[in-house]
Amino acid sequence: MLPNVLQPNSTDHVPVLAAEVRELLAVQPGETVVDATFGAGGHASQLAADLQGSGKFIAIDRDPTVRPYFDRFKRRAGVQARFLRGEASVVLGQLADNGIRADAILLDLGVSSMQLDRPDRGFSYAVDAPLDMRMDPSAELSARELVNDASERELTQIFRRYGEERYARQIAKAIGRERRRRPIERTGELVEIIRAAIPKPARFGDGHPAKRAFQALRIAVNDELGELEEALPAAFDMLRPGGRMAVISFHSLEDRLVKHFLREKERGCVCPPDFPICVCGHEPELRALGRKAVRPSSRETAANPRSSSARLRAAVRT
């Protein structure tokens, strides 16, 4: 039986690294907290509890279907809360331009369980559904358009870059052959094309054969890396001195972007190495909360296998 996709359910989303996020963001009563990727509100509920009835909570998400989750959250949060629909990079930039500052900002990247578990959204390779994958259902580009209209070369690059797919070229060629016969409309069709394109010995042992290709398409459809590159400086601009930001990523490319951004903001002197004294006057703008990314515990990954690839990085504005 299909789940009720219109009503929020307590099992829709298990927040990843929830205790670690709560500890690093260290929300205090009276502060302003921003959850820039609200989803089903799993992290938000815990962060709002730390406000203890005093403070403000801003929820951002590009997916309009999260609104019922926010309404439920708002009824229970006990603090002033508002929902802003849009891409995190755009909304955070608008808030910063309007002089609104935050004490704690969370970015939980990737697709949420709420989206993944709904067959009609077309994110999952485990259920046959229309080929979609849009986080914002009103966006023009869907996975259907990408699969049927992109060149084989473009598809190969997408599978290699975003999915690290070893058989990217073979999959792209197989898609090209099939779509010349008829358009590829459904996730089930695409899964079978991918499965047939991969050599039999490679179809076993490293998860579902369509996992990496589906991930790559989702990242490309939603321009997730481009969005992240713009969201990080927008979040930084919104932070007050002493404000904390935390980012959870689920892909090596995402984590690399986050790590490089934080390290660039941590840099002090930028004078050439052969200068005897500093003349630039540049000072660090962020201080990392830990030198390495925080990983889920074995207990968490056992309880929630989807958390296994998560990486958490956090920093405080100096």
Side-chain angles (χ1 to χ4, degrees), residues 181-194:
R181 294 176 53 247
R182 58 186 175 86
I184 302 168
E185 304 278 355
R186 301 186 66 83
T187 58
E189 298 172 49
L190 183 58
V191 166
E192 291 308 312
I193 294 169
I194 295 170

Side-chain angles (χ1 to χ4, degrees), residues 55-85:
K56 298 178 181 178
F57 200 99
I58 300 172
I60 302 169
D61 206 293
R62 65 167 103 177
D63 188 342
T65 67
V66 310
R67 186 66 198 228
Y69 296 89
F70 173 77
D71 292 340
R72 181 182 63 181
F73 161 79
K74 186 176 181 179
R75 289 193 299 269
R76 299 175 178 179
V79 295
Q80 182 181 339
R82 59 172 169 159
F83 175 71
L84 300 174
R85 184 194 165 194

